[in-house]
Every structure is written in C-alpha cells, then in structure tokens.
Amino acid sequence: MANPEQRAVTMMAGVPKDPKALGLFIRANHYLNVSDAKQFQHGIDLLKEILKQEPNNAYVQSELLAAYYVGRALDDSSSLNQDALVNLSVALKQYLATSTGPIQPRIYEALALHETMQGDQEQAAAYLNQALQLRDSVLAYIIKGKHAELSGDVDSASEAYSEAFYIDTSVETYLLCENLIFYNNLKQIDHAMYRAVHPSVVRLI
C-alpha cells in the first residue's frame, strides 16, 4: 500500500479540473450511491455529460463503465449497451498501456468488473489485485466475493461481502452483494449481513 501522500495523489487522479465538470461529478456520485433506478440513471447521465467536456478522462470513463453494470444489478429490467461497454473498456485498457502517472484505482475495479462479466476470470483477478493494492472499496470486495463464489469458496465469499458491508453498511451494498454479476442467496452465504438488513429475521431460541 502506498504511503498517505502517494495514496492521496492516486485517489485524486482524474478528478475533473473544470469547475462545471467537477460540480457534475460530485452530483453524479450522489445519485450513483442510491438504489432508486431513476436517480441512478440520472447519475449515469451526468457522467455522460462530463465526458462531453472531458472525453478522454479515464476516471470518469471507469465510473461510467462500473455504473452501467451496477445499474443493471439494481434494476434487472434495464438493458446493457454492449457497444458502450466495449468502447469504455478499450479506452481504459489503452489508458493503462500509455499512462505514466498515478492510476486511479476505480479504473482497475471497473475493468475487473467488466472482465468478470465477460467471463475472463484470470484477467479480472489481475485487475482486482491491482485495485486492492491501492485501496479497499465496496466494489472491489464484492467482486472478490463473487470470484470466491465462482470457485466454490463460500467462506471466503462471506468474508469479502462482510468487508464490503463494513465499509458501507447500506441496503445498496447488500443489494450489490446479492445481485452484482450474478444473483446469490445471501441469506445462506452471510446470515449476519442478511439479518442486519432484515432485522425482523431473528431467531428467538
């Protein structure tokens, strides 16, 4: 893990510099942290607006790539624009291949999510490891949990989901642990988390 100063520089890498774009980015992050489908879509639309002003901003591109998949997990009636997903992933990989500065960890997280969805678990795991070397995040731990489930390691999956829930104890985190990438029965995998979100489910004896 980088020292605090290096970590701060890394976390700020790619934040929009234009005041108007920065304002849109702050608003987008608000809407992208709620589970209401219409509000979440508004957050996606705001990210698209930013990319009209800063079309090569890899950080914003990564937020948009992740948001497409998260939005689908929160609202399974929505559809994914495959062309947009491919274009964003190609742009981010090109950025990683040419960038000489600090890499925003969300880029690795978004690519880990994308490659997992595309079925390339080896490449996804490589991106995920790079992301976790830079920071702990809800998204990274949820992806880690899904990878553990795919390999049949339910205990490690439960541990990863618990880490995500510890970072952000919210219904949104629970829904993503349950629905991102594929649906699982979280009640069976992590009953403590299930009870935290469903407090009426309490064993009396």
Side-chain angles (χ1 to χ4, degrees), residues 86-104:
V86 170
N87 290 338
L88 287 167
S89 65
V90 168
L92 292 176
K93 291 175 184 179
Q94 180 64 26
Y95 175 80
L96 290 180
T98 58
S99 177
T100 57
I103 302 297
Q104 167 63 234

Side-chain angles (χ1 to χ4, degrees), residues 2 6 27 36 40 43-44 49 52 57 60 64-65 81 83 85 99 106 108 122 138 144 147 152 179 187 190:
Q6 291 175 323
R27 288 174 57 202
D36 179 80
F40 195 91
I44 288 177
E49 284 297 316
K52 290 179 182 178
N57 188 314
V60 179
L64 183 56
L65 179 59
N81 184 328
D83 289 341
L85 297 174
S99 177
R106 181 60 102 191
Y108 291 126
E122 183 176 352
V138 169
K144 185 177 181 179
H147 284 194
N179 296 305
K187 181 179 180 180
D190 195 320

Side-chain angles (χ1 to χ4, degrees), residues 149-190:
E149 279 197 77
L150 288 170
S151 65
D153 189 347
V154 177
D155 289 340
S156 292
S158 176
E159 183 179 340
Y161 297 145
S162 294
E163 289 286 350
F165 202 58
Y166 178 78
I167 294 171
D168 179 33
T169 308
S170 68
V171 173
E172 286 75 21
T173 298
Y174 177 89
L175 290 173
L176 290 181
C177 289
E178 190 173 55
N179 296 305
L180 187 64
I181 303 173
F182 57 83
Y183 172 79
N184 62 30
N185 188 338
L186 203 56
K187 181 179 180 180
Q188 295 180 354
I189 296 172
D190 195 320

